[in-house]
């Protein structure tokens, strides 16, 4: 899955993405075409989706936390979308390479761009804008709530006319038998306050917000089926009492997928715990800022057919490249590879043939090929895995581990850059009070192989607290 909403990837980049995929026998490209940050597909019967919904203000840095509020005089210069001709071209390009494209239109949540274009879609009156970099969702342990209503109202006939128009064109453009309708992370706190949602509940006998969402999803499925297609959605669609013909993409761990397969739904496994390639893959201070971590060795443990699942209900496994934090194609490659290799091997190889050390040898051969082709990839596996703890006397203790065999880690505690004549890590090290920072460097066979990690003692103390 490539998220072309949060960061718009050009048609040429999507083609390049397919070229990168097919080297390793990935044969399905799920395009996440719509979200709060932008609507990326021309819908001729709803022109504002792209004239309004495809554009936002430009911000650099970690723009999703922009401290600067947008003002309406600021030009909306960032974005883009694919025309019908572009989509036909992408579909054909894929077909020539045995890649099928699965389009996703994410409703009813994640819909700020659509609501900005057609405010009648929202159950909450007021002004709506394509995400401007100002936080609009609150995330907390065990849940979330919207600060700005970013959902499509389930209680308004206009919403279903809208979905019908969108699905009509999407169904014509993409020959694949499935259409993905999203269904993930829909905040319901504005629905709870909405008179029109209350009236819908009374009319339809819906007892709670999950049933309200279930009502919406069922109507969307009917619309998709009326276009001759099958519906697939993220695993939240199970919560509203989904119809038996719905297909499920399991992302919140593997649980939803196992449950769905048990109730005889067809399932695609793309659990965040193994297959979210937008998560940090190595030492966080060297990588981009992302809230969760997924190392190559964990990705390699991905198994799309979990215990208790009948394989006949598993359509496949998938990696997801969300782009909230991915601002360009080269960085996308860095995040995708080599983790994409681990996913490819996990979906194509019998479990008993999997072998981490053998895999790493093949990964390193592929590094050489990528060096020649000029494609980007991450060498994060060579860097030290650094953690800290407190011993029984309250001393700070440094721990270093390796992701792969045969790598040695050397460290300094005196503010100088270490090399392979510095102390070599062999067991946990007590870090005395006068140390300001620890620097670590990795070598193999006498050659520097990893990047230097610099960790102030304050950072090590934080890691010790988390332990
Ligand atoms: C998802 O990651 N929200 C499907």
């Amino acid at each position: 899955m490539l998220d072309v909403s949060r960061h718009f990837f050009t048609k040429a980049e999507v083609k390049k993405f397919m070229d990168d995929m097919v080297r390793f026998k990935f044969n399905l490209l799920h395009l996440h075409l719509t979200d709060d940050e932008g609507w990326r597909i021309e819908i001729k019967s709803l022109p504002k989706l792209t004239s309004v919904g495809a554009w936002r203000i430009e911000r650099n840095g970690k723009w999703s936390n922009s401290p600067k509020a947008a003002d309406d005089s600021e030009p909306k210069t960032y974005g883009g979308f694919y025309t019908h001709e572009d989509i036909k071209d992408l579909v054909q390009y894929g077909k020539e390479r045995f890649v099928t494209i699965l389009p996703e239109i994410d409703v009813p949540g994640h819909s700020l761009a659509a609501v900005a274009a057609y405010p009648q879609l929202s159950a909450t009156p007021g002004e709506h804008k394509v995400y401007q970099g100002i936080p609009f969702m609150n995330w907390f342990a065990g849940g979330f709530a919207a600060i700005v209503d970013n959902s499509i109202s389930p209680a308004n006939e206009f919403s279903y006319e809208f979905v019908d128009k969108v699905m009509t064109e999407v169904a014509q453009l993409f020959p694949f038998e499935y259409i993905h309708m999203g269904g993930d992370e829909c905040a319901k706190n504005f629905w709870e306050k909405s008179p029109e949602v209350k009236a819908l509940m009374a009319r339809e006998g819906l007892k709670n917000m999950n049933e309200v969402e279930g009502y919406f999803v069922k109507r969307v499925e009917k619309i998709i089926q009326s276009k001759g297609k099958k519906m697939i959605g993220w695993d939240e669609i199970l919560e509203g009492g989904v119809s038996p013909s719905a297909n499920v993409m399991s992302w919140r761990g593997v649980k939803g997928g196992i449950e769905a397969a048990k109730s005889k739904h067809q399932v695609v496994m793309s659990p965040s715990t193994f297959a979210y390639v937008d998560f940090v893959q190595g030492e966080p201070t060297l990588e981009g800022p992302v809230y969760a971590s997924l190392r190559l060795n964990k990705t390699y443990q991905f198994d799309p057919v979990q215990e208790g699942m009948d394989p006949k209900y598993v359509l496949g496994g998938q990696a997801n490249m969300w782009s909230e934090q991915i601002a360009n194609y080269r960085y996308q490659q860095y995040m995708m590879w080599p983790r994409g290799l681990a996913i490819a091997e996990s979906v194509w190889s019998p479990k008993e043939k999997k072998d981490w050390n053998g895999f790493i040898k093949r990964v390193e051969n592929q590094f050489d090929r990528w060096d020649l082709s000029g494609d980007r990839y991450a060498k994060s596996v060579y860097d030290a895995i650094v953690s800290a703890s407190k011993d029984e006397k309250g001393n700070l203790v440094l721990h270093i581990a390796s992701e792969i065999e045969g790598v040695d880690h050397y460290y300094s505690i005196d503010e100088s850059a270490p090399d392979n004549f510095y102390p070599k890590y062999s067991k946990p090290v007590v870090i005395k009070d006068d140390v300001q920072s620890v620097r670590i460097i990795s070598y193999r066979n006498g050659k520097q192989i990893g990047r230097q990690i610099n960790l102030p003692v304050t950072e090590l103390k934080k890691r010790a607290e988390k332990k």
Side-chain angles (χ1 to χ4, degrees), residues 40-169:
R40 304 289 176 219
I41 177 171
E42 176 188 31
I43 302 296
K44 287 190 197 280
S45 58
L46 295 161
K48 283 189 179 172
L49 282 175
T50 43
S51 66
V52 174
W55 303 97
R56 68 181 189 227
I57 52 162
E58 190 137 11
R59 288 282 185 274
N60 294 305
K62 199 179 170 192
W63 82 274
S64 58
N65 278 342
S66 167
K68 190 167 159 237
D71 95 43
D72 280 336
S73 63
E74 237 186 306
K76 296 175 179 58
T77 51
Y78 179 85
F81 62 92
Y82 312 114
T83 63
H84 281 205
E85 290 315 305
D86 290 335
I87 296 284
K88 286 179 201 158
D89 188 16
L90 288 172
V91 166
Q92 184 59 28
Y93 193 87
K95 191 168 170 218
E96 286 160 12
R97 289 156 183 79
F98 304 96
V99 172
T100 306
I101 302 185
L102 167 67
E104 180 187 353
I105 304 295
D106 198 351
V107 287
H110 284 277
S111 290
L112 208 46
V115 172
Y118 294 97
Q120 316 91 292
L121 288 170
S122 172
T124 310
E127 211 188 344
H128 297 84
K129 291 178 183 166
V130 179
Y131 183 36
Q132 303 292 303
I134 310 301
F136 66 98
M137 289 284 267
N138 264 331
W139 300 92
F140 41 82
F144 54 86
I147 302 165
V148 173
D149 188 1
N150 66 333
S151 70
I152 287 175
S153 172
N156 177 350
E157 284 310 302
F158 180 76
S159 299
Y160 301 101
E161 288 160 24
F162 169 87
V163 172
D164 193 282
K165 283 183 176 161
V166 171
M167 294 304 176
T168 300
E169 295 187 31

Side-chain angles (χ1 to χ4, degrees), residues 5-77:
S5 171
R6 274 61 172 270
H7 172 73
F8 178 63
F9 291 96
T10 63
K11 185 173 74 165
E13 287 170 335
V14 177
K15 287 183 175 176
K16 170 66 177 144
F17 190 82
M18 288 193 255
D19 292 341
D20 290 355
M21 282 169 55
V22 296
R23 284 175 176 166
F24 308 104
K25 301 211 283 187
F26 284 107
N27 55 7
L28 186 131
L29 172 59
H30 165 179
L31 282 182
H32 182 75
L33 288 164
T34 73
D35 215 301
D36 302 303
E37 291 83 347
W39 185 281
R40 304 289 176 219
I41 177 171
E42 176 188 31
I43 302 296
K44 287 190 197 280
S45 58
L46 295 161
K48 283 189 179 172
L49 282 175
T50 43
S51 66
V52 174
W55 303 97
R56 68 181 189 227
I57 52 162
E58 190 137 11
R59 288 282 185 274
N60 294 305
K62 199 179 170 192
W63 82 274
S64 58
N65 278 342
S66 167
K68 190 167 159 237
D71 95 43
D72 280 336
S73 63
E74 237 186 306
K76 296 175 179 58
T77 51

Side-chain angles (χ1 to χ4, degrees), residues 258 261-262 306-310:
I258 296 172
K262 279 194 178 143
Q306 293 283 312
E307 282 272 313
M309 285 176 105
D310 181 341

Side-chain angles (χ1 to χ4, degrees), residues 127-414:
E127 211 188 344
H128 297 84
K129 291 178 183 166
V130 179
Y131 183 36
Q132 303 292 303
I134 310 301
F136 66 98
M137 289 284 267
N138 264 331
W139 300 92
F140 41 82
F144 54 86
I147 302 165
V148 173
D149 188 1
N150 66 333
S151 70
I152 287 175
S153 172
N156 177 350
E157 284 310 302
F158 180 76
S159 299
Y160 301 101
E161 288 160 24
F162 169 87
V163 172
D164 193 282
K165 283 183 176 161
V166 171
M167 294 304 176
T168 300
E169 295 187 31
V170 169
Q172 283 165 0
L173 286 169
F174 294 92
F176 194 34
E177 63 191 301
Y178 292 88
I179 294 177
H180 199 307
M181 53 67 64
D184 59 321
E185 297 178 318
C186 180
K188 322 273 196 323
N189 52 305
F190 282 95
W191 291 2
E192 278 161 5
K193 289 189 285 197
S194 156
E196 69 183 47
V197 174
K198 283 186 189 139
L200 171 77
M201 292 174 81
R203 197 183 77 219
E204 298 292 332
L206 306 169
K207 290 192 283 298
N208 54 47
M209 286 302 137
N210 281 348
E211 289 190 9
V212 170
E213 190 172 12
Y215 169 86
F216 179 88
V217 172
K218 282 184 201 125
R219 286 194 63 178
V220 170
E221 183 178 22
K222 288 223 171 72
I223 294 169
I224 289 175
Q225 285 172 340
S226 77
K227 315 297 168 200
K229 305 285 184 177
K230 297 178 191 167
M231 184 186 84
I232 185 163
W234 297 112
D235 58 59
E236 283 95 332
I237 65 171
L238 292 167
E239 290 168 357
V242 79
S243 83
S245 53
N247 305 282
V248 175
M249 194 172 270
S250 179
W251 74 277
R252 295 177 300 174
V254 294
K255 210 173 95 262
I258 296 172
E259 198 185 303
K262 279 194 178 143
S263 23
K264 302 191 174 7
H265 292 283
Q266 296 286 325
V267 177
V268 174
M269 295 300 275
S270 58
S272 59
T273 38
F274 296 97
Y276 267 39
V277 287
D278 61 320
F279 289 178
V280 166
Q281 60 195 309
E283 163 56 39
T285 59
L286 296 177
E287 308 280 348
V290 191
Y291 57 92
S293 159
L294 177 67
R295 285 185 179 267
L296 182 64
N297 60 10
K298 185 80 190 285
T299 315
Y300 192 67
Q301 292 161 35
F302 178 40
D303 181 2
V305 184
Q306 293 283 312
E307 282 272 313
M309 285 176 105
D310 181 341
K312 89 169 180 253
Y313 294 110
V314 183
L315 292 167
Q318 164 175 307
N320 290 335
M321 179 59 77
W322 299 105
S323 61
E324 289 100 316
Q325 314 290 346
I326 310 272
N328 64 64
Y329 193 84
R330 295 290 290 181
Y331 185 52
Q332 176 283 125
Q333 284 192 313
Y334 176 89
M335 296 299 274
M336 180 61 88
W337 311 107
R339 286 184 293 188
L341 302 180
I343 300 286
E345 189 150 312
S346 298
V347 291
W348 283 113
S349 297
K351 226 185 294 187
E352 56 287 356
K353 288 244 171 169
K354 283 174 82 177
D355 155 28
W356 170 247
N357 289 330
F359 171 69
I360 288 299
K361 280 205 190 89
R362 284 172 288 124
V363 165
E364 294 198 280
N365 287 339
Q366 183 56 38
F367 283 179
D368 292 343
R369 293 189 198 102
W370 278 323
D371 284 339
L372 288 171
S373 67
D375 288 298
R376 198 167 181 212
Y377 60 95
K379 295 187 192 173
S380 314
V381 278
Y382 297 132
D383 300 327
I385 302 174
V386 188
S387 61
S389 65
K390 289 267 168 79
D391 69 12
E392 63 282 359
K393 290 190 198 117
N395 295 314
L396 183 64
V397 182
L398 169 75
H399 304 260
I400 299 177
S402 266
E403 192 159 2
I404 60 171
E405 285 180 1
V407 177
D408 298 319
H409 307 287
Y410 301 86
Y411 64 93
S412 78
I413 50 170
D414 61 3

